[in-house]
Amino acid sequence: MGFYRPLQGAKLYIATANTSASTITVDEWNGSNWAVLATTDNTKSGGIALAQTGTITWPSTKDTSKLRYISGLSLYWYQFTLSAGSASVYYATVDAPMQSIKNIWDGVKVKPSKLLRYIPGASSVYQDFTDDVIDELNTTYLDLSSASNTEAIYIGFTSPQQAIEFILKPESENTNASTMNQFAWSGSAWVGAPTTFTDGTKNGSVTLNKSGVISWPNPTNAEFTKTISDEVPLYYYSISFSSILDGDVKIAEIRGIPRPKPLSNYSFSETFQNRLFLFDEKNGERNKAIYSGANTPDIFNGADSGQLYFGDKNKLVAAKTLYNVFRTFAAEQLIITKTNETWRVSGNGPENWENYRISSNIGCVAPLSMAACEVSDGAEEGIKRQVVIWQSDKGFVITDGAAIIPISNDIRCYFDPNDSRYIPTTRQARTVAWFDPYTRSYKALISSGSTATYHNIELEYSLEHKEWTKIYRADASGADPLQCGFQVFSTDGTGYTYGGNTKGFMYRLEHGATFAGTNITNKIQTKDLILDAQVPLFRKSTVKFLRTAHKKKTGTVTVAHYGDQVLTVDGTSNQAVPDAFSTASTPYNTQSTALGPFLFHSFLFTSVTSTSDGMELSGLAIYSEPYTAMR
């Protein structure tokens, strides 16, 4: 059983059950031999293996299994051996543990860059047959007729190989008993293939008796390039034979099966146009991104994969994919950021991708703050577009792939170094954010204040109203701020938003009337209002009547007034503050007041939610009189 990644189990679906007392042994290929695994066999019943559908599990082999070429595929292979009896398996699934991303062969064989036949003697001749074995014709070939055991052929490639295919000219196969030997250049000597070398051209004791593939496990010694006969360094493989070949042996074509390099360490990933992108090579080129073949997240080699570079050597920080339709034109774009730059990749595929720097001043300082969001476009509710929002060093910004627009004006205190609420530089990179499709908002968790050691502020940006809201969460003992948030989906596809706190608890968000068993307090406060429109700033005003419109529901709303930014106290200085009112009986409430005279007026509405879904105010009317003395 072979798979793209190392496994920790498989499930076998039995059509015809085994009836003989038996056991199953499972071996993994560890790079040099088959190694037995400790298994738990749930197909066993009454001492009979494969008696029923079930799983066979073993400890994770993510660190021990190695790739091997078998029957045209380079995979992680597992060998199942049934000790007695037989069964029919009609279906199988595998269990692959969490592990590093792999790079397996893309399945495309490559032509050798050089094919030399070495004939020993006084002149030690190297004959070049390269063109003869790559032209896909049987009329041209490498002639090994009567080749002795002192001769050799050298097959050169631009990258290391794990197997080589020999296609023989029909009626020109070897019939003499002989064994093939394969060697690779270690940097100082030719090193032979291990004992597990597989010769697929062999029939019985006769090599090159049929077309086939020779393969070998991953070498224990690193391979190096070498120059032979000319100045082109290649990865050469030396092929020789233990005995003389017969008088008519001709190889029409030779192909290599490359051995992909293990992937380097990258910081983050994103999917774009059905390809997996890996960004920021941590021990190499920090401005590089590599991409897999289409629909193959385990293949980072071959003509369909590649790499992109973005500007100078500064590291890449975050990336998100956008998809939008502009009239009749659909465009998928990849937004990539550094700390102070933003780039965009557009186009329909690697052959026409274009990457442009769309800002040399705005980047992303908090990788986990970047989120792709969906927003209604204009007044037409049915038209949606995608945007990406993230935190730059100056605040939060938004883009649809064109301009980058700041959206932090209402909350600029958190990005002002002179403000006590400023996010300290040591915490800016830790901001966490996500898109909540239920509230259609961008949610961000930040650390406010110079002494902050965890996220203590939750901000919500409404993509419908283009406004920020600060959310305060509390349990019975006080403040309980979230530290993370994310989307989860049930088996029927329903999405939910969850968040976690500093105490190790996980909460389902935007659900129910309480949080952590504590009633939720709803607050709405107006900005400071100047009510005299005729002589603003020069004349104060007194509020005489206040009317609020609201949705009818169970609940009570209290009203506080701030005059010139100071809380107004009922009965003090002839002030008459509005009373609390019920929202259950009528859709509005009107009260007479005496609030003033003040230049600035602000109103705070508060409702404690226990059973309803929160306060919903829909309008506010203020009747005021000017204070005639201008002072």
Side-chain angles (χ1 to χ4, degrees), residues 578-619:
D579 296 325
F581 61 90
S582 170
T583 58
S585 57
T586 60
Y588 60 89
N589 174 265
T590 306
Q591 296 190 48
S592 62
T593 61
L595 304 171
F598 299 110
L599 182 63
F600 298 106
H601 296 266
S602 175
F603 296 89
L604 172 63
F605 301 88
T606 305
S607 176
V608 177
T609 301
S610 58
T611 57
S612 67
D613 58 355
M615 170 177 60
E616 293 187 58
L617 298 184
S618 56

Side-chain angles (χ1 to χ4, degrees), residues 14-191:
I14 307 301
T16 304
N18 186 24
T19 58
S20 301
S22 55
T23 59
I24 276 190
T25 302
V26 181
D27 297 83
E28 66 162 334
W29 179 253
N30 65 10
S32 58
N33 54 60
W34 293 103
V36 66
L37 298 170
T39 58
T40 299
D41 184 4
N42 295 309
T43 71
K44 203 167 188 177
S45 177
I48 302 174
L50 297 186
Q52 60 187 5
T53 294
T55 60
I56 302 175
T57 62
W58 52 83
S60 170
T61 59
K62 64 184 179 67
D63 297 320
T64 56
S65 287
K66 305 298 180 186
L67 289 166
R68 182 174 181 179
Y69 179 89
I70 296 178
S71 299
L73 297 171
S74 180
L75 300 171
Y76 295 91
W77 290 97
Y78 297 82
Q79 181 174 267
F80 293 71
T81 304
L82 181 63
S83 64
S86 64
S88 297
V89 179
Y90 70 89
Y91 189 62
T93 57
V94 298
D95 181 4
M98 187 71 71
Q99 59 193 275
S100 60
I101 297 171
K102 306 304 180 187
N103 185 18
I104 65 170
W105 177 47
D106 69 343
V108 179
K109 299 169 186 175
V110 298
K111 296 178 180 180
S113 299
K114 186 72 71 173
L115 190 287
L116 301 173
R117 180 185 178 183
Y118 173 72
I119 302 176
S123 58
S124 298
V125 177
Y126 288 93
Q127 296 178 338
D128 191 334
F129 287 89
T130 307
D131 294 339
D132 301 287
V133 296
I134 65 173
D135 58 5
E136 302 180 4
L137 298 174
N138 281 336
T139 54
T140 56
Y141 43 77
L142 166 64
D143 192 347
L144 293 180
S145 301
S146 302
S148 70
N149 58 0
T150 61
E151 297 184 25
I153 60 173
Y154 295 94
I155 311 173
F157 297 90
T158 56
S159 64
Q161 305 294 300
Q162 60 183 317
I164 298 176
E165 180 184 37
F166 294 94
I167 302 174
L168 296 171
K169 181 182 179 182
E171 310 301 328
S172 293
E173 298 88 358
N174 179 42
T175 57
N176 288 354
S178 183
T179 299
M180 183 185 297
N181 303 309
Q182 181 268 329
F183 299 86
W185 183 250
S186 69
S188 59
W190 292 102
V191 178

